[in-house]
Amino acid sequence: MAVIAFAILAVLLFLLTGNKSLFSKEVTIYTYLDDSAAITEGAAVRLNGIQVGSIAKVGLSGENKPNRIIRLDLLINSANLKQIPEDSQAAIGAENLLGTKYINIKMGKAEKPIAAGGELKSLDTREFQDLVNAAYPSLLSLQ
């Protein structure tokens, strides 16, 4: 009886604290960036603003080519994968000025969806970081 009670408690804690469904299947797709902009594992992945997954891993790709230095492994709910066209583009977005970051996938126009294990092209986000850096002195002067 105690084992069953602990199992139920564990399932309830998992469901209350996680964003994932207990039985949902997830697939991994990849994108490469020039700079991680301090994005972390577990951050949200959104498709035109709607959450469809999370970031499983952020790491160096081992490549030196522009826009391929950082590799992100994106865990996408398999039910949402067919809604992501293969010509979609991933970019880092910020929820607020303090820097809570996420990946936003801009939906493409292709009819064919991206395959599991596929690669999304990424938008160059250096301009966004330059804008944040330029605004920093203004924010300090407001203090």
Side-chain angles (χ1 to χ4, degrees):
M1 184 83 138
V3 172
I4 293 171
F6 279 122
I8 291 172
L9 180 64
V11 168
L12 288 175
L13 284 174
F14 176 78
L15 292 174
L16 289 174
T17 59
N19 290 341
K20 301 175 185 175
S21 172
L22 189 57
F23 301 108
S24 69
K25 184 178 177 200
E26 295 178 321
V27 295
T28 303
I29 59 174
Y30 305 96
T31 190
Y32 294 86
L33 302 167
D34 197 41
D35 187 356
S36 72
I39 199 161
T40 59
E41 293 175 7
V45 175
R46 298 183 178 158
L47 177 63
N48 286 3
I50 306 296
Q51 186 162 349
V52 294
S54 63
I55 298 175
K57 185 178 176 188
V58 178
L60 295 171
S61 68
E63 296 185 36
N64 234 359
K65 299 175 189 172
N67 246 14
R68 289 191 69 85
I69 296 172
I70 306 297
R71 177 180 150 165
L72 300 178
D73 297 5
L74 311 176
L75 278 179
I76 306 294
N77 187 325
S78 62
N80 294 323
L81 190 66
K82 63 182 176 240
Q83 298 175 6
I84 304 174
E86 65 182 356
D87 64 339
S88 300
Q89 293 182 321
I92 295 176
E95 290 183 13
N96 53 41
L97 288 176
L98 298 176
T100 305
K101 304 237 174 37
Y102 63 92
I103 292 293
N104 190 43
I105 300 172
K106 277 188 72 167
M107 190 179 288
K109 303 215 184 291
E111 291 184 25
K112 183 179 176 189
I114 190 166
E119 180 182 330
L120 280 177
K121 293 192 188 309
S122 65
L123 293 172
D124 190 8
T125 57
R126 284 179 283 183
E127 293 87 18
F128 174 75
Q129 189 62 36
D130 292 342
L131 178 66
V132 171
N133 290 340
Y136 186 71
S138 300
L139 291 174
L140 285 178
S141 67
L142 288 175
Q143 285 183 340

